Amino acid sequence: MGNSRVTLKDLAKELNLSPSTISRAISGHPAISDATRKLVQQKADELGFTPNSIASSFRKKKTQSIGIIVPKIDIHFHSLVISGIEEYAYSKGYNVTIFQSKDSFEREKEITRILQNRMVEGIIICLSNETKSYAHFKKFAKLGVPVIFYDRVPTNFNANKIVINDYESAFKATEHLIQQGCSRIAHIAGNQSTHIFKDRLEGYKTALKKYKLPIDPSLILETKNLTYEEGAECAKKMLALPELPDGLFCSNDYTAISAIQVFQKAHIKVPEQIAVVGFSNYPISRVIEPNLTTINDRAFQMGQAAASLLIRQIDDTDSFVEFETITLKTDLVVRASSMRKENIPNT
Amino acid sequence: MGNSRVTLKDLAKELNLSPSTISRAISGHPAISDATRKLVQQKADELGFTPNSIASSFRKKKTQSIGIIVPKIDIHFHSLVISGIEEYAYSKGYNVTIFQSKDSFEREKEITRILQNRMVEGIIICLSNETKSYAHFKKFAKLGVPVIFYDRVPTNFNANKIVINDYESAFKATEHLIQQGCSRIAHIAGNQSTHIFKDRLEGYKTALKKYKLPIDPSLILETKNLTYEEGAECAKKMLALPELPDGLFCSNDYTAISAIQVFQKAHIKVPEQIAVVGFSNYPISRVIEPNLTTINDRAFQMGQAAASLLIRQIDDTDSFVEFETITLKTDLVVRASSMRKENIPNT
DNA sequence: CTGAAAGCGCTTACAG
DNA sequence: CTGAAAGCGCTTACAG
């Protein structure tokens, strides 16, 4: 079947004009007369000409495409970020090519090679949880290809980063529990080798200190992956304590929800006997009964911010800025799971 | 900063070999001696040469990339499909470029133009809900670029499709409720202008007919978008009926879950007084209490199947097959929300 | 086993 | 306002 695309040359021949003129007419060069432009446009439509952007990319060394690496696309947080990136990039004429590292360091390295070959103009990445070395990103600095890290970002490595203030957010969440009258507040923590979960634990501790509450190690439960199942295990451990905590701050929503369900099955009332706060504001937090108080981590906005910073850096080739870190605001979304006093929930 | 990539020519000059030989050595052409191959590989590593795949794509007219169009990336179903596509495509050396139509027909058309210009080798798409005409896909047939539709697929239009049997699945779900002893079974239906929701309604009706149960129009509640909020409204309408249904089959999980919550707030027991079945097997179905019986629609596998079919069609340029429709198996995942008799749930 | 040459479809500096 | 010419970095049919 006629795999034959119509090219600039074909158009030129048809119209007895030079390819240069056709090229300029199509791309809206100002030096082309209106008459010629119209003529060319008409013929292009007639013959079904559309510019071959691979040829154009090759010639101009501008691919108008950016690469995204995420651990897994179907994690809701990442799909929101990707959605934000795509939306912004599309509005600026950039395409988005997606890769999953599957949390494999080797695969992440391989993907950076592919992205280099593909000549993407910039990269947005959430590191795999295996990644401890960042040498595979150094080549992009040499090539002038900006890289933006989000969520799981490198430590001890200069780079562009989009983050939220995990420490502050955790502080806010814990402080809220204290203000609701809780004094024995437990924490379900994420893997402490990941700095965002470390920061959340720190924020929790700082809030306790500020309000002169003791830090009780038996109330701090570290998990590997903050899974639904791990949340349930942690809740059971709390039930086995000599005295039940009266508040619980969890490093994500899954563990918060499974903990609530374990408590409820043990006929412990949430929030009356134990008030619970999660982290991320997943859709599920508005489904669980009672609705979950949680931190809105602005995943969609994070994607938009990452794309915006990236494209700004692609365009400003001779800026003096080497690296930028953008910290996004978070909100505490107060719902029923933590409401022990007469407040008005904000969602 | 030295934006200078090392090229084939540079390598050739360094080694006093022709660019042809370098090209063949790098791409593993069999006619190259081992000695030369090693020499070239070594020098390539030394100079940090990596092939420019844009140049290669341009020359070979093979971009090794496929385009995906989804209504919205952060809908869990689509993110699972995309994940399946990326996984399969990556294993075959294809890259995946993603676009969101945002359920806009105009944007969908615009995206197909971009994909044509970008010379993707194939396209996987879930149609926007505004799309009624498929003329914008015809150009790809002429160009020999295969297009695979999934989920929301065209009707009355010959095309490659990956689908599940919505009719059968709905039949299975409804039959299960009947076997659990329900005889007044309601249905929360999706928009009847979308064929998959029409099929689900048909499957429901057929099951009732088969078991000689009456079809009661007051028990069939159509929604616009099957949202959580619409599910709650429908449940309230059921509560207002002279007699409550004893079974409920919903066209998705969100409506099923909100209905369950409305029932529970009205002190109606699920499944004892009303047994509920959803559709999609979203993660949330294992969180709600009681856990939701639902149809596993195999979104990840749908993505893999779409990518596999697409790449098969890209490779088989001279096959006699014009179009293919693949129907995937679905499972009824039986959980507590529908268990009125002593069965063993399968998850 | 290796090389010389042509060309993929554009863009752009230079010239008029 | 328009054109001739060179070239982006590869690949491949042809030749030896």
Side-chain angles (χ1 to χ4, degrees), chain B residues 288-339:
Chain B
I288 181 84
E289 293 283 357
N291 283 194
L292 183 66
T293 296
T294 186
I295 295 285
N296 180 357
D297 64 5
R298 315 249 181 192
F300 185 82
Q301 285 79 4
M302 189 173 270
Q304 289 186 310
S308 157
L309 175 57
L310 186 74
I311 290 170
R312 190 148 50 76
Q313 292 205 353
I314 290 171
D315 293 341
D316 280 23
T317 41
D318 42 30
S319 140
F320 288 105
V321 177
E322 191 170 10
F323 295 117
E324 229 171 307
T325 293
I326 293 177
T327 305
L328 298 178
K329 260 195 216 156
T330 58
D331 276 344
L332 180 72
V333 183
V334 178
R335 301 202 185 97
S337 73
S338 66
M339 296 283 290

Short mmCIF file of all heavy atoms in Angstrom, two decimals, chain B residues 288-339:
data_model
loop_
_atom_site.label_atom_id
_atom_site.label_comp_id
_atom_site.label_asym_id
_atom_site.label_seq_id
_atom_site.Cartn_x
_atom_site.Cartn_y
_atom_site.Cartn_z
N ILE B 288 -12.65 -1.86 50.63
CA ILE B 288 -13.99 -1.62 51.15
C ILE B 288 -14.45 -2.83 51.98
O ILE B 288 -14.10 -3.96 51.67
CB ILE B 288 -14.98 -1.37 49.98
CG1 ILE B 288 -16.39 -1.10 50.47
CG2 ILE B 288 -15.00 -2.54 49.01
CD1 ILE B 288 -16.64 0.32 50.86
N GLU B 289 -15.18 -2.53 53.04
CA GLU B 289 -15.75 -3.61 53.87
C GLU B 289 -17.25 -3.67 53.66
O GLU B 289 -17.92 -2.67 53.87
CB GLU B 289 -15.46 -3.35 55.35
CG GLU B 289 -14.00 -3.42 55.75
CD GLU B 289 -13.47 -4.85 55.86
OE1 GLU B 289 -14.27 -5.81 55.68
OE2 GLU B 289 -12.28 -5.00 56.09
N PRO B 290 -17.82 -4.77 53.26
CA PRO B 290 -17.13 -6.01 52.88
C PRO B 290 -16.40 -5.87 51.55
O PRO B 290 -16.82 -5.08 50.71
CB PRO B 290 -18.30 -7.00 52.74
CG PRO B 290 -19.46 -6.15 52.34
CD PRO B 290 -19.29 -4.87 53.06
N ASN B 291 -15.35 -6.65 51.37
CA ASN B 291 -14.61 -6.64 50.10
C ASN B 291 -15.57 -6.89 48.94
O ASN B 291 -16.50 -7.68 49.02
CB ASN B 291 -13.52 -7.72 50.09
CG ASN B 291 -12.28 -7.34 50.89
OD1 ASN B 291 -11.26 -7.96 50.79
ND2 ASN B 291 -12.39 -6.30 51.71
N LEU B 292 -15.29 -6.19 47.84
CA LEU B 292 -16.24 -6.17 46.73
C LEU B 292 -16.01 -7.31 45.73
O LEU B 292 -14.91 -7.50 45.22
CB LEU B 292 -16.11 -4.83 46.00
CG LEU B 292 -17.06 -4.58 44.83
CD1 LEU B 292 -18.50 -4.49 45.31
CD2 LEU B 292 -16.66 -3.32 44.08
N THR B 293 -17.08 -8.04 45.45
CA THR B 293 -17.07 -8.97 44.33
C THR B 293 -17.11 -8.15 43.04
O THR B 293 -17.87 -7.19 42.94
CB THR B 293 -18.32 -9.88 44.39
OG1 THR B 293 -18.24 -10.68 45.57
CG2 THR B 293 -18.41 -10.77 43.16
N THR B 294 -16.27 -8.54 42.08
CA THR B 294 -16.17 -7.69 40.88
C THR B 294 -15.62 -8.48 39.71
O THR B 294 -15.20 -9.64 39.87
CB THR B 294 -15.30 -6.45 41.19
OG1 THR B 294 -15.30 -5.56 40.07
CG2 THR B 294 -13.86 -6.85 41.50
N ILE B 295 -15.65 -7.85 38.55
CA ILE B 295 -15.10 -8.47 37.34
C ILE B 295 -13.66 -7.98 37.15
O ILE B 295 -13.42 -6.78 37.10
CB ILE B 295 -15.93 -8.08 36.10
CG1 ILE B 295 -17.36 -8.63 36.19
CG2 ILE B 295 -15.24 -8.53 34.81
CD1 ILE B 295 -17.48 -10.11 35.91
N ASN B 296 -12.74 -8.91 37.04
CA ASN B 296 -11.35 -8.55 36.75
C ASN B 296 -11.24 -8.30 35.26
O ASN B 296 -11.34 -9.21 34.45
CB ASN B 296 -10.43 -9.69 37.18
CG ASN B 296 -8.97 -9.37 36.92
OD1 ASN B 296 -8.65 -8.32 36.35
ND2 ASN B 296 -8.07 -10.26 37.29
N ASP B 297 -11.00 -7.04 34.88
CA ASP B 297 -11.01 -6.73 33.45
C ASP B 297 -9.63 -6.75 32.80
O ASP B 297 -9.49 -6.40 31.64
CB ASP B 297 -11.71 -5.40 33.19
CG ASP B 297 -10.98 -4.23 33.84
OD1 ASP B 297 -9.89 -4.43 34.39
OD2 ASP B 297 -11.51 -3.11 33.79
N ARG B 298 -8.61 -7.17 33.56
CA ARG B 298 -7.30 -7.45 32.97
C ARG B 298 -6.71 -6.29 32.20
O ARG B 298 -6.29 -6.44 31.03
CB ARG B 298 -7.41 -8.62 32.00
CG ARG B 298 -8.22 -9.75 32.53
CD ARG B 298 -7.35 -10.91 32.79
NE ARG B 298 -8.19 -12.00 33.29
CZ ARG B 298 -7.71 -13.07 33.81
NH1 ARG B 298 -6.41 -13.21 33.92
NH2 ARG B 298 -8.50 -14.00 34.25
N ALA B 299 -6.66 -5.15 32.83
CA ALA B 299 -6.17 -3.96 32.14
C ALA B 299 -4.70 -4.11 31.72
O ALA B 299 -4.34 -3.78 30.60
CB ALA B 299 -6.35 -2.74 33.02
N PHE B 300 -3.87 -4.61 32.63
CA PHE B 300 -2.45 -4.75 32.30
C PHE B 300 -2.26 -5.69 31.11
O PHE B 300 -1.54 -5.37 30.16
CB PHE B 300 -1.69 -5.29 33.53
CG PHE B 300 -0.20 -5.36 33.36
CD1 PHE B 300 0.58 -4.23 33.53
CD2 PHE B 300 0.41 -6.56 33.01
CE1 PHE B 300 1.97 -4.29 33.37
CE2 PHE B 300 1.79 -6.62 32.84
CZ PHE B 300 2.56 -5.49 33.02
N GLN B 301 -2.97 -6.81 31.15
CA GLN B 301 -2.88 -7.77 30.05
C GLN B 301 -3.42 -7.17 28.76
O GLN B 301 -2.96 -7.51 27.67
CB GLN B 301 -3.67 -9.06 30.37
CG GLN B 301 -2.98 -9.97 31.37
CD GLN B 301 -3.16 -9.51 32.81
OE1 GLN B 301 -3.86 -8.52 33.08
NE2 GLN B 301 -2.55 -10.21 33.75
N MET B 302 -4.40 -6.29 28.89
CA MET B 302 -4.95 -5.64 27.71
C MET B 302 -3.86 -4.80 27.04
O MET B 302 -3.71 -4.80 25.82
CB MET B 302 -6.13 -4.76 28.11
CG MET B 302 -6.89 -4.21 26.94
SD MET B 302 -8.40 -3.33 27.45
CE MET B 302 -9.58 -4.66 27.43
N GLY B 303 -3.07 -4.11 27.85
CA GLY B 303 -1.96 -3.32 27.32
C GLY B 303 -0.92 -4.20 26.63
O GLY B 303 -0.46 -3.89 25.53
N GLN B 304 -0.58 -5.29 27.30
CA GLN B 304 0.40 -6.20 26.70
C GLN B 304 -0.11 -6.76 25.38
O GLN B 304 0.61 -6.82 24.39
CB GLN B 304 0.69 -7.36 27.64
CG GLN B 304 1.47 -6.96 28.87
CD GLN B 304 1.86 -8.18 29.70
OE1 GLN B 304 1.00 -9.00 30.00
NE2 GLN B 304 3.11 -8.29 30.06
N ALA B 305 -1.38 -7.15 25.38
CA ALA B 305 -1.96 -7.72 24.16
C ALA B 305 -1.98 -6.70 23.04
O ALA B 305 -1.69 -7.02 21.88
CB ALA B 305 -3.38 -8.24 24.45
N ALA B 306 -2.31 -5.47 23.39
CA ALA B 306 -2.36 -4.41 22.37
C ALA B 306 -0.97 -4.19 21.78
O ALA B 306 -0.80 -4.11 20.55
CB ALA B 306 -2.89 -3.12 22.98
N ALA B 307 0.03 -4.11 22.64
CA ALA B 307 1.40 -3.87 22.16
C ALA B 307 1.89 -5.05 21.33
O ALA B 307 2.53 -4.87 20.29
CB ALA B 307 2.34 -3.64 23.35
N SER B 308 1.55 -6.24 21.77
CA SER B 308 2.00 -7.43 21.06
C SER B 308 1.37 -7.49 19.66
O SER B 308 2.05 -7.72 18.66
CB SER B 308 1.62 -8.65 21.89
OG SER B 308 1.54 -9.80 21.10
N LEU B 309 0.08 -7.24 19.60
CA LEU B 309 -0.60 -7.24 18.29
C LEU B 309 -0.02 -6.15 17.40
O LEU B 309 0.25 -6.36 16.22
CB LEU B 309 -2.11 -7.03 18.49
CG LEU B 309 -2.94 -6.89 17.21
CD1 LEU B 309 -2.78 -8.10 16.31
CD2 LEU B 309 -4.41 -6.68 17.55
N LEU B 310 0.19 -4.98 17.99
CA LEU B 310 0.69 -3.85 17.21
C LEU B 310 2.05 -4.17 16.60
O LEU B 310 2.28 -3.98 15.40
CB LEU B 310 0.81 -2.61 18.09
CG LEU B 310 1.18 -1.34 17.32
CD1 LEU B 310 -0.02 -0.86 16.53
CD2 LEU B 310 1.66 -0.24 18.25
N ILE B 311 2.94 -4.68 17.42
CA ILE B 311 4.30 -4.91 16.94
C ILE B 311 4.31 -6.06 15.94
O ILE B 311 5.05 -6.03 14.95
CB ILE B 311 5.25 -5.15 18.14
CG1 ILE B 311 5.42 -3.81 18.89
CG2 ILE B 311 6.61 -5.67 17.70
CD1 ILE B 311 6.12 -3.89 20.21
N ARG B 312 3.45 -7.01 16.14
CA ARG B 312 3.31 -8.08 15.15
C ARG B 312 2.90 -7.49 13.80
O ARG B 312 3.45 -7.84 12.75
CB ARG B 312 2.28 -9.09 15.64
CG ARG B 312 2.20 -10.36 14.84
CD ARG B 312 1.83 -11.58 15.70
NE ARG B 312 0.66 -11.40 16.54
CZ ARG B 312 -0.61 -11.42 16.09
NH1 ARG B 312 -0.85 -11.57 14.81
NH2 ARG B 312 -1.62 -11.26 16.92
N GLN B 313 1.97 -6.56 13.84
CA GLN B 313 1.51 -5.97 12.59
C GLN B 313 2.57 -5.06 11.97
O GLN B 313 2.65 -4.94 10.74
CB GLN B 313 0.22 -5.19 12.82
CG GLN B 313 -0.93 -6.11 13.18
CD GLN B 313 -2.28 -5.51 12.83
OE1 GLN B 313 -2.38 -4.36 12.42
NE2 GLN B 313 -3.33 -6.30 12.98
N ILE B 314 3.36 -4.40 12.81
CA ILE B 314 4.43 -3.56 12.27
C ILE B 314 5.44 -4.44 11.53
O ILE B 314 5.90 -4.10 10.45
CB ILE B 314 5.14 -2.79 13.41
CG1 ILE B 314 4.20 -1.72 13.99
CG2 ILE B 314 6.42 -2.14 12.91
CD1 ILE B 314 4.72 -1.05 15.27
N ASP B 315 5.74 -5.60 12.11
CA ASP B 315 6.75 -6.48 11.49
C ASP B 315 6.24 -7.19 10.25
O ASP B 315 6.95 -7.32 9.27
CB ASP B 315 7.25 -7.49 12.53
CG ASP B 315 8.04 -6.80 13.64
OD1 ASP B 315 8.49 -5.66 13.42
OD2 ASP B 315 8.20 -7.39 14.72
N ASP B 316 5.02 -7.69 10.30
CA ASP B 316 4.44 -8.42 9.16
C ASP B 316 3.88 -7.46 8.14
O ASP B 316 2.65 -7.31 8.04
CB ASP B 316 3.28 -9.31 9.63
CG ASP B 316 3.77 -10.60 10.24
OD1 ASP B 316 4.92 -10.62 10.69
OD2 ASP B 316 2.99 -11.56 10.25
N THR B 317 4.74 -6.86 7.36
CA THR B 317 4.22 -5.86 6.43
C THR B 317 3.39 -6.47 5.32
O THR B 317 2.48 -5.86 4.81
CB THR B 317 5.37 -5.06 5.80
OG1 THR B 317 6.41 -5.96 5.48
CG2 THR B 317 5.87 -4.00 6.75
N ASP B 318 3.72 -7.70 4.96
CA ASP B 318 2.98 -8.26 3.81
C ASP B 318 2.09 -9.43 4.22
O ASP B 318 2.04 -10.44 3.55
CB ASP B 318 3.95 -8.66 2.72
CG ASP B 318 5.17 -9.35 3.28
OD1 ASP B 318 5.03 -10.01 4.34
OD2 ASP B 318 6.23 -9.24 2.69
N SER B 319 1.42 -9.25 5.36
CA SER B 319 0.50 -10.29 5.79
C SER B 319 -0.83 -10.11 5.06
O SER B 319 -1.15 -9.04 4.54
CB SER B 319 0.31 -10.20 7.30
OG SER B 319 -1.02 -10.43 7.66
N PHE B 320 -1.62 -11.17 5.04
CA PHE B 320 -2.93 -11.08 4.39
C PHE B 320 -4.01 -10.61 5.36
O PHE B 320 -5.12 -10.33 4.97
CB PHE B 320 -3.32 -12.42 3.79
CG PHE B 320 -2.52 -12.75 2.58
CD1 PHE B 320 -1.52 -13.71 2.63
CD2 PHE B 320 -2.75 -12.08 1.38
CE1 PHE B 320 -0.76 -13.99 1.50
CE2 PHE B 320 -2.00 -12.37 0.25
CZ PHE B 320 -1.00 -13.32 0.32
N VAL B 321 -3.66 -10.59 6.64
CA VAL B 321 -4.63 -10.17 7.65
C VAL B 321 -4.82 -8.66 7.55
O VAL B 321 -3.85 -7.91 7.55
CB VAL B 321 -4.13 -10.51 9.07
CG1 VAL B 321 -5.10 -10.00 10.12
CG2 VAL B 321 -3.91 -12.00 9.20
N GLU B 322 -6.05 -8.24 7.46
CA GLU B 322 -6.27 -6.80 7.42
C GLU B 322 -6.54 -6.28 8.83
O GLU B 322 -5.90 -5.34 9.29
CB GLU B 322 -7.41 -6.43 6.48
CG GLU B 322 -7.44 -4.92 6.27
CD GLU B 322 -8.39 -4.50 5.16
OE1 GLU B 322 -9.16 -5.36 4.70
OE2 GLU B 322 -8.36 -3.31 4.79
N PHE B 323 -7.49 -6.90 9.52
CA PHE B 323 -7.81 -6.46 10.88
C PHE B 323 -7.96 -7.66 11.79
O PHE B 323 -8.28 -8.76 11.36
CB PHE B 323 -9.12 -5.65 10.87
CG PHE B 323 -9.02 -4.38 10.10
CD1 PHE B 323 -9.79 -4.17 8.98
CD2 PHE B 323 -8.13 -3.39 10.50
CE1 PHE B 323 -9.70 -2.99 8.26
CE2 PHE B 323 -8.02 -2.21 9.78
CZ PHE B 323 -8.81 -2.00 8.66
N GLU B 324 -7.75 -7.40 13.06
CA GLU B 324 -7.85 -8.47 14.04
C GLU B 324 -8.57 -7.92 15.26
O GLU B 324 -8.32 -6.78 15.68
CB GLU B 324 -6.42 -8.88 14.43
CG GLU B 324 -6.18 -10.37 14.40
CD GLU B 324 -4.72 -10.74 14.59
OE1 GLU B 324 -3.87 -10.20 13.86
OE2 GLU B 324 -4.45 -11.55 15.49
N THR B 325 -9.45 -8.71 15.84
CA THR B 325 -10.07 -8.34 17.11
C THR B 325 -9.72 -9.42 18.12
O THR B 325 -9.92 -10.60 17.86
CB THR B 325 -11.60 -8.22 16.98
OG1 THR B 325 -11.90 -7.12 16.13
CG2 THR B 325 -12.24 -7.99 18.34
N ILE B 326 -9.14 -9.00 19.24
CA ILE B 326 -8.78 -9.96 20.28
C ILE B 326 -9.66 -9.72 21.49
O ILE B 326 -9.76 -8.60 21.99
CB ILE B 326 -7.29 -9.81 20.65
CG1 ILE B 326 -6.42 -10.23 19.47
CG2 ILE B 326 -6.96 -10.64 21.89
CD1 ILE B 326 -4.93 -10.05 19.69
N THR B 327 -10.32 -10.76 21.93
CA THR B 327 -11.17 -10.65 23.11
C THR B 327 -10.48 -11.34 24.28
O THR B 327 -10.11 -12.51 24.17
CB THR B 327 -12.53 -11.31 22.86
OG1 THR B 327 -13.11 -10.73 21.70
CG2 THR B 327 -13.47 -11.10 24.04
N LEU B 328 -10.28 -10.60 25.36
CA LEU B 328 -9.60 -11.17 26.52
C LEU B 328 -10.60 -11.78 27.50
O LEU B 328 -11.73 -11.34 27.61
CB LEU B 328 -8.80 -10.09 27.24
CG LEU B 328 -7.69 -9.43 26.43
CD1 LEU B 328 -7.01 -8.35 27.27
CD2 LEU B 328 -6.66 -10.45 25.98
N LYS B 329 -10.12 -12.81 28.18
CA LYS B 329 -10.93 -13.46 29.23
C LYS B 329 -11.13 -12.51 30.41
O LYS B 329 -10.23 -11.75 30.75
CB LYS B 329 -10.17 -14.67 29.75
CG LYS B 329 -10.61 -15.98 29.20
CD LYS B 329 -10.03 -17.08 30.08
CE LYS B 329 -9.65 -18.28 29.25
NZ LYS B 329 -8.62 -19.10 29.88
N THR B 330 -12.26 -12.60 31.03
CA THR B 330 -12.44 -11.89 32.29
C THR B 330 -12.79 -12.92 33.37
O THR B 330 -13.23 -14.01 33.05
CB THR B 330 -13.60 -10.88 32.24
OG1 THR B 330 -14.80 -11.60 31.90
CG2 THR B 330 -13.36 -9.79 31.23
N ASP B 331 -12.56 -12.56 34.60
CA ASP B 331 -12.91 -13.42 35.74
C ASP B 331 -13.91 -12.72 36.61
O ASP B 331 -13.82 -11.50 36.79
CB ASP B 331 -11.70 -13.57 36.66
CG ASP B 331 -10.78 -14.62 36.20
OD1 ASP B 331 -11.20 -15.43 35.37
OD2 ASP B 331 -9.62 -14.60 36.66
N LEU B 332 -14.80 -13.49 37.21
CA LEU B 332 -15.58 -12.96 38.31
C LEU B 332 -14.76 -13.22 39.57
O LEU B 332 -14.44 -14.37 39.88
CB LEU B 332 -16.94 -13.64 38.40
CG LEU B 332 -17.82 -13.13 39.53
CD1 LEU B 332 -18.34 -11.73 39.21
CD2 LEU B 332 -18.98 -14.09 39.78
N VAL B 333 -14.40 -12.16 40.27
CA VAL B 333 -13.65 -12.33 41.51
C VAL B 333 -14.65 -12.25 42.66
O VAL B 333 -15.19 -11.19 42.95
CB VAL B 333 -12.59 -11.21 41.67
CG1 VAL B 333 -11.77 -11.43 42.92
CG2 VAL B 333 -11.71 -11.14 40.44
N VAL B 334 -14.91 -13.41 43.26
CA VAL B 334 -15.96 -13.45 44.28
C VAL B 334 -15.38 -13.07 45.64
O VAL B 334 -14.42 -13.68 46.11
CB VAL B 334 -16.61 -14.84 44.35
CG1 VAL B 334 -17.67 -14.89 45.44
CG2 VAL B 334 -17.21 -15.19 43.00
N ARG B 335 -15.96 -12.05 46.25
CA ARG B 335 -15.55 -11.64 47.59
C ARG B 335 -16.80 -11.49 48.47
O ARG B 335 -17.90 -11.88 48.07
CB ARG B 335 -14.75 -10.34 47.52
CG ARG B 335 -13.50 -10.43 46.65
CD ARG B 335 -12.48 -9.38 47.01
NE ARG B 335 -11.32 -9.38 46.11
CZ ARG B 335 -11.18 -8.58 45.06
NH1 ARG B 335 -12.12 -7.69 44.77
NH2 ARG B 335 -10.11 -8.66 44.31
N ALA B 336 -16.62 -10.91 49.63
CA ALA B 336 -17.68 -10.95 50.64
C ALA B 336 -18.95 -10.18 50.25
O ALA B 336 -20.04 -10.52 50.71
CB ALA B 336 -17.15 -10.44 51.97
N SER B 337 -18.84 -9.16 49.42
CA SER B 337 -20.00 -8.28 49.18
C SER B 337 -21.17 -8.98 48.52
O SER B 337 -22.28 -8.44 48.46
CB SER B 337 -19.58 -7.08 48.33
OG SER B 337 -19.37 -7.48 46.99
N SER B 338 -20.93 -10.20 48.01
CA SER B 338 -22.03 -10.91 47.34
C SER B 338 -22.26 -12.29 47.92
O SER B 338 -23.06 -13.05 47.39
CB SER B 338 -21.71 -11.04 45.85
OG SER B 338 -20.59 -11.89 45.68
N MET B 339 -21.54 -12.63 49.00
CA MET B 339 -21.58 -14.00 49.51
C MET B 339 -22.73 -14.23 50.47
O MET B 339 -22.58 -14.04 51.68
CB MET B 339 -20.26 -14.31 50.22
CG MET B 339 -19.07 -14.27 49.32
SD MET B 339 -18.98 -15.75 48.32
CE MET B 339 -18.56 -16.89 49.63
#
